[in-house]
Amino acid sequence: MSAANRGVIYMGAGHVEVQPIPFPELALGNRKCEHGVILKVITTNICGSDQHMVRGRTTAPSGMVLGHEITGEVVECGRDVEFIGVGDVVSVPFNIACGRCRNCKEGQTGICLNVNPARPGAAYGYVDMGGWVGGQTEYVMVPYADFNLLKFPDRDIAMDKIRDLTLLSDIFPTGFHGCATAGVGPGSTVYIAGAGPVGLAAAVSAQLLGAACVIVGDMNPQRLDQAKSFGCETLDLRQDTPMPDMLEPILGAREVDSAVDAVGFEARCHGHNHAHEQPATVLNACMDVTRAGGQIGIPGLYVTEDPGAESQEAQHGNLSMRLGQGWAKSHSFHTGQCPVMKYHRQLMQAILFDKVNIADAVNVEVISLDDAPRGYADFDGGVAKKFVIDPHGSVAA
C-alpha cells in the first residue's frame, strides 16, 4: 500500500518541524523486510530522551525523524509474519531487537547485537541507535514484528485505555525497570530522583511493587505537586538542606532501602545553585541516601558524547562520580536501556485490570501531530505533563 505520510523532524537545537516524509516500505536497505509490518500510528509520545536531542545535547544530525514511543494498528504485513495480522492494535517496544542473537535470547533486548552496526542496542528515531526512522509519524515500519510487538487482546478495550497503554512502549516499563533493578519490594522505602514522566512512572511502579514509602525529589514545584497527587512524599531540592536531613522527618531514618535515578546526564546542583549543571549530582546523592547494601537503579539517560555540557570532561561522558562512596556502602548499580519486553505484558495486564492508573500519574495530554512543536516547547519549559501525539485523531474520536 502507499499513502501520504508526515513526521516530526529534528531541524537543529531547539527546533522541530512537522514535514512530509516518505511512506514506509517493508525494506531494510536494498532487501525486502518480510519479517516486518507497517503501522498506522495511533499514538506516539514525546520522551525526555527526545528532548535531550532537541536541546542540542547529543550528536543527532538535523533531518532525523523523531520518536521511539509508538502504538499503532497493523496495516500491512511482510510474508514471514505469522502471529500478527492486519487490524491488530499493538505496542512497539522502543528497543529494536532481532530475537535471534545471544542477548535477545537471554532477554537483554535493549542490547541486541544485530540491529545497530555501531554498537549493541537500537531504537527508533534516536541518535547512534542504528539509523531507524522514528515513529512520531502517521505511518512507520517495524521489523521483526512477531518478536517485538505486543498485541492488545481487544481493540475496543485498548482504545478505551489507550492513554495508559501508550505508555507501555517506554516510560512505564522503564520506570518499573528502575525500581525492579533497585530491589524495590513490599514494605521498602525508595527515593526517586526526578519528577519528570519517567520519575513519576517509577514512583507508580514502586507503589505497584508494594513500597511502603515513595519519596520523589525535584526542583520543579509543579512536578512535585503531580507526584503528591498520587500519594508520594516529596523533596524540594532547591533547598540547601542536606538530603538525609530532609528524609529524616518523613522516615524517621536518614537513608532509604533503594534509589532510582530518573534524571540522567542533564542533572543540576541541589540547593541555591540549582541553575548550574553538575552531571553526577544525582548519582552521588543516590549513594548518600541509600543504605549500606542497598541497590540503585539508573534508567536515567547517560550519553557517551554531550557537546552541550559545561565541562570538557562531561562533553565526553566523564563524570565526577564518587564511586568510593558506593563501594564503601556495597551498593549495586544497574544502568542501561530498559528491556521493555521483560515487563510490558505484565504491565499491560495491570492496566487492563485497573491495578494502576499510569496516565493520570504522569498527567497525559493528547495533542495533534501538528501541535508537536508546541508540545516539545512546553515540555522543555518543565510543564508537569506527558505529551501523547494523536496523528490521525484516533484518540479524540
Side-chain angles (χ1 to χ4, degrees), residues 40-64:
K40 179 181 179 180
V41 176
I42 294 174
T43 52
T44 176
N45 317 325
I46 296 176
C47 181
S49 299
D50 299 320
Q51 199 72 62
H52 291 308
M53 287 189 293
V54 173
R55 288 183 185 128
R57 297 299 297 265
T58 71
T59 56
S62 62
M64 278 187 61

mmCIF file of all heavy atoms in Angstrom, residues 40-64:
data_model
loop_
_atom_site.group_PDB
_atom_site.id
_atom_site.type_symbol
_atom_site.label_atom_id
_atom_site.label_comp_id
_atom_site.label_asym_id
_atom_site.label_seq_id
_atom_site.Cartn_x
_atom_site.Cartn_y
_atom_site.Cartn_z
ATOM 1 N N LYS A 40 -0.173 2.013 11.063
ATOM 2 C CA LYS A 40 -0.820 3.316 11.146
ATOM 3 C C LYS A 40 -0.722 3.733 12.604
ATOM 4 O O LYS A 40 -1.266 3.060 13.485
ATOM 5 C CB LYS A 40 -2.277 3.217 10.699
ATOM 6 C CG LYS A 40 -3.032 4.525 10.781
ATOM 7 C CD LYS A 40 -4.494 4.331 10.349
ATOM 8 C CE LYS A 40 -5.280 5.631 10.452
ATOM 9 N NZ LYS A 40 -6.707 5.433 10.036
ATOM 10 N N VAL A 41 0.001 4.801 12.875
ATOM 11 C CA VAL A 41 0.294 5.183 14.253
ATOM 12 C C VAL A 41 -0.982 5.711 14.930
ATOM 13 O O VAL A 41 -1.633 6.622 14.418
ATOM 14 C CB VAL A 41 1.418 6.228 14.301
ATOM 15 C CG1 VAL A 41 1.660 6.689 15.737
ATOM 16 C CG2 VAL A 41 2.705 5.649 13.703
ATOM 17 N N ILE A 42 -1.310 5.104 16.056
ATOM 18 C CA ILE A 42 -2.448 5.567 16.853
ATOM 19 C C ILE A 42 -1.990 6.628 17.849
ATOM 20 O O ILE A 42 -2.580 7.700 17.954
ATOM 21 C CB ILE A 42 -3.116 4.381 17.585
ATOM 22 C CG1 ILE A 42 -3.743 3.413 16.569
ATOM 23 C CG2 ILE A 42 -4.182 4.890 18.561
ATOM 24 C CD1 ILE A 42 -4.285 2.139 17.192
ATOM 25 N N THR A 43 -0.921 6.331 18.575
ATOM 26 C CA THR A 43 -0.328 7.295 19.498
ATOM 27 C C THR A 43 1.181 7.179 19.440
ATOM 28 O O THR A 43 1.734 6.103 19.206
ATOM 29 C CB THR A 43 -0.773 7.060 20.960
ATOM 30 O OG1 THR A 43 -0.540 5.692 21.306
ATOM 31 C CG2 THR A 43 -2.241 7.398 21.154
ATOM 32 N N THR A 44 1.860 8.284 19.666
ATOM 33 C CA THR A 44 3.321 8.316 19.707
ATOM 34 C C THR A 44 3.709 9.453 20.640
ATOM 35 O O THR A 44 3.208 10.569 20.515
ATOM 36 C CB THR A 44 3.916 8.481 18.300
ATOM 37 O OG1 THR A 44 5.341 8.605 18.387
ATOM 38 C CG2 THR A 44 3.342 9.678 17.569
ATOM 39 N N ASN A 45 4.545 9.165 21.605
ATOM 40 C CA ASN A 45 4.738 10.075 22.735
ATOM 41 C C ASN A 45 6.044 10.855 22.632
ATOM 42 O O ASN A 45 7.034 10.368 22.090
ATOM 43 C CB ASN A 45 4.752 9.280 24.044
ATOM 44 C CG ASN A 45 3.672 8.217 24.085
ATOM 45 O OD1 ASN A 45 2.582 8.411 23.560
ATOM 46 N ND2 ASN A 45 3.982 7.088 24.709
ATOM 47 N N ILE A 46 6.042 12.045 23.199
ATOM 48 C CA ILE A 46 7.273 12.825 23.330
ATOM 49 C C ILE A 46 7.967 12.388 24.619
ATOM 50 O O ILE A 46 7.368 12.372 25.690
ATOM 51 C CB ILE A 46 6.975 14.329 23.365
ATOM 52 C CG1 ILE A 46 6.355 14.771 22.036
ATOM 53 C CG2 ILE A 46 8.249 15.122 23.650
ATOM 54 C CD1 ILE A 46 5.926 16.230 22.011
ATOM 55 N N CYS A 47 9.234 12.013 24.496
ATOM 56 C CA CYS A 47 10.006 11.467 25.606
ATOM 57 C C CYS A 47 11.092 12.450 26.031
ATOM 58 O O CYS A 47 11.592 13.230 25.211
ATOM 59 C CB CYS A 47 10.631 10.139 25.178
ATOM 60 S SG CYS A 47 11.616 9.315 26.454
ATOM 61 N N GLY A 48 11.487 12.381 27.296
ATOM 62 C CA GLY A 48 12.602 13.184 27.759
ATOM 63 C C GLY A 48 13.878 12.911 26.985
ATOM 64 O O GLY A 48 14.711 13.808 26.796
ATOM 65 N N SER A 49 14.037 11.678 26.505
ATOM 66 C CA SER A 49 15.206 11.361 25.693
ATOM 67 C C SER A 49 15.177 12.119 24.374
ATOM 68 O O SER A 49 16.219 12.565 23.874
ATOM 69 C CB SER A 49 15.267 9.854 25.421
ATOM 70 O OG SER A 49 15.377 9.132 26.623
ATOM 71 N N ASP A 50 13.985 12.263 23.780
ATOM 72 C CA ASP A 50 13.862 13.104 22.588
ATOM 73 C C ASP A 50 14.285 14.540 22.903
ATOM 74 O O ASP A 50 14.942 15.209 22.107
ATOM 75 C CB ASP A 50 12.414 13.124 22.084
ATOM 76 C CG ASP A 50 11.885 11.761 21.680
ATOM 77 O OD1 ASP A 50 12.633 10.997 21.070
ATOM 78 O OD2 ASP A 50 10.708 11.471 21.981
ATOM 79 N N GLN A 51 13.885 15.001 24.078
ATOM 80 C CA GLN A 51 14.169 16.381 24.459
ATOM 81 C C GLN A 51 15.667 16.635 24.573
ATOM 82 O O GLN A 51 16.140 17.730 24.233
ATOM 83 C CB GLN A 51 13.478 16.701 25.787
ATOM 84 C CG GLN A 51 13.312 18.177 26.049
ATOM 85 C CD GLN A 51 12.247 18.819 25.167
ATOM 86 O OE1 GLN A 51 11.090 18.468 25.229
ATOM 87 N NE2 GLN A 51 12.668 19.760 24.340
ATOM 88 N N HIS A 52 16.426 15.634 25.033
ATOM 89 C CA HIS A 52 17.881 15.796 25.080
ATOM 90 C C HIS A 52 18.416 16.131 23.689
ATOM 91 O O HIS A 52 19.273 17.001 23.528
ATOM 92 C CB HIS A 52 18.554 14.513 25.583
ATOM 93 C CG HIS A 52 18.304 14.201 27.025
ATOM 94 N ND1 HIS A 52 18.511 15.104 28.036
ATOM 95 C CD2 HIS A 52 17.881 13.057 27.623
ATOM 96 C CE1 HIS A 52 18.219 14.540 29.205
ATOM 97 N NE2 HIS A 52 17.827 13.306 28.973
ATOM 98 N N MET A 53 17.913 15.399 22.673
ATOM 99 C CA MET A 53 18.363 15.669 21.302
ATOM 100 C C MET A 53 17.929 17.049 20.835
ATOM 101 O O MET A 53 18.720 17.804 20.252
ATOM 102 C CB MET A 53 17.814 14.602 20.347
ATOM 103 C CG MET A 53 18.471 13.261 20.462
ATOM 104 S SD MET A 53 17.957 12.131 19.150
ATOM 105 C CE MET A 53 16.225 11.880 19.555
ATOM 106 N N VAL A 54 16.675 17.374 21.085
ATOM 107 C CA VAL A 54 16.145 18.645 20.591
ATOM 108 C C VAL A 54 16.839 19.828 21.254
ATOM 109 O O VAL A 54 16.982 20.901 20.640
ATOM 110 C CB VAL A 54 14.606 18.682 20.779
ATOM 111 C CG1 VAL A 54 14.034 20.051 20.448
ATOM 112 C CG2 VAL A 54 13.955 17.619 19.894
ATOM 113 N N ARG A 55 17.299 19.664 22.470
ATOM 114 C CA ARG A 55 18.069 20.729 23.118
ATOM 115 C C ARG A 55 19.468 20.873 22.517
ATOM 116 O O ARG A 55 20.216 21.792 22.887
ATOM 117 C CB ARG A 55 18.216 20.437 24.612
ATOM 118 C CG ARG A 55 16.940 20.610 25.417
ATOM 119 C CD ARG A 55 17.216 20.379 26.891
ATOM 120 N NE ARG A 55 16.001 20.416 27.677
ATOM 121 C CZ ARG A 55 15.633 19.468 28.530
ATOM 122 N NH1 ARG A 55 16.396 18.397 28.714
ATOM 123 N NH2 ARG A 55 14.512 19.577 29.201
ATOM 124 N N GLY A 56 19.876 19.964 21.672
ATOM 125 C CA GLY A 56 21.221 20.000 21.110
ATOM 126 C C GLY A 56 22.265 19.369 21.994
ATOM 127 O O GLY A 56 23.459 19.645 21.840
ATOM 128 N N ARG A 57 21.833 18.480 22.897
ATOM 129 C CA ARG A 57 22.741 17.877 23.860
ATOM 130 C C ARG A 57 23.288 16.526 23.404
ATOM 131 O O ARG A 57 23.873 15.790 24.198
ATOM 132 C CB ARG A 57 22.046 17.739 25.204
ATOM 133 C CG ARG A 57 21.644 19.058 25.834
ATOM 134 C CD ARG A 57 22.843 19.964 26.103
ATOM 135 N NE ARG A 57 23.754 19.384 27.040
ATOM 136 C CZ ARG A 57 23.739 19.622 28.343
ATOM 137 N NH1 ARG A 57 22.844 20.460 28.844
ATOM 138 N NH2 ARG A 57 24.607 19.062 29.143
ATOM 139 N N THR A 58 23.086 16.189 22.144
ATOM 140 C CA THR A 58 23.654 14.966 21.586
ATOM 141 C C THR A 58 24.250 15.295 20.217
ATOM 142 O O THR A 58 24.200 16.447 19.766
ATOM 143 C CB THR A 58 22.578 13.871 21.407
ATOM 144 O OG1 THR A 58 21.704 14.234 20.327
ATOM 145 C CG2 THR A 58 21.767 13.666 22.678
ATOM 146 N N THR A 59 24.771 14.283 19.559
ATOM 147 C CA THR A 59 25.330 14.468 18.213
ATOM 148 C C THR A 59 24.306 14.166 17.130
ATOM 149 O O THR A 59 24.664 13.872 15.988
ATOM 150 C CB THR A 59 26.573 13.568 18.033
ATOM 151 O OG1 THR A 59 26.200 12.203 18.300
ATOM 152 C CG2 THR A 59 27.686 13.985 18.964
ATOM 153 N N ALA A 60 23.020 14.259 17.448
ATOM 154 C CA ALA A 60 21.967 13.976 16.472
ATOM 155 C C ALA A 60 22.079 14.918 15.273
ATOM 156 O O ALA A 60 22.216 16.136 15.440
ATOM 157 C CB ALA A 60 20.599 14.122 17.115
ATOM 158 N N PRO A 61 22.002 14.380 14.055
ATOM 159 C CA PRO A 61 22.056 15.232 12.871
ATOM 160 C C PRO A 61 20.691 15.860 12.576
ATOM 161 O O PRO A 61 19.647 15.283 12.886
ATOM 162 C CB PRO A 61 22.440 14.248 11.757
ATOM 163 C CG PRO A 61 21.844 12.946 12.207
ATOM 164 C CD PRO A 61 21.938 12.951 13.713
ATOM 165 N N SER A 62 20.680 17.016 11.970
ATOM 166 C CA SER A 62 19.413 17.609 11.548
ATOM 167 C C SER A 62 18.800 16.738 10.458
ATOM 168 O O SER A 62 19.496 16.057 9.701
ATOM 169 C CB SER A 62 19.629 19.035 11.037
ATOM 170 O OG SER A 62 20.471 19.024 9.900
ATOM 171 N N GLY A 63 17.484 16.728 10.415
ATOM 172 C CA GLY A 63 16.783 15.901 9.434
ATOM 173 C C GLY A 63 16.292 14.576 9.974
ATOM 174 O O GLY A 63 15.598 13.839 9.253
ATOM 175 N N MET A 64 16.625 14.245 11.231
ATOM 176 C CA MET A 64 16.163 12.992 11.825
ATOM 177 C C MET A 64 14.663 13.026 12.060
ATOM 178 O O MET A 64 14.122 14.016 12.552
ATOM 179 C CB MET A 64 16.833 12.731 13.183
ATOM 180 C CG MET A 64 18.203 12.129 13.125
ATOM 181 S SD MET A 64 18.768 11.705 14.803
ATOM 182 C CE MET A 64 17.524 10.518 15.286
#
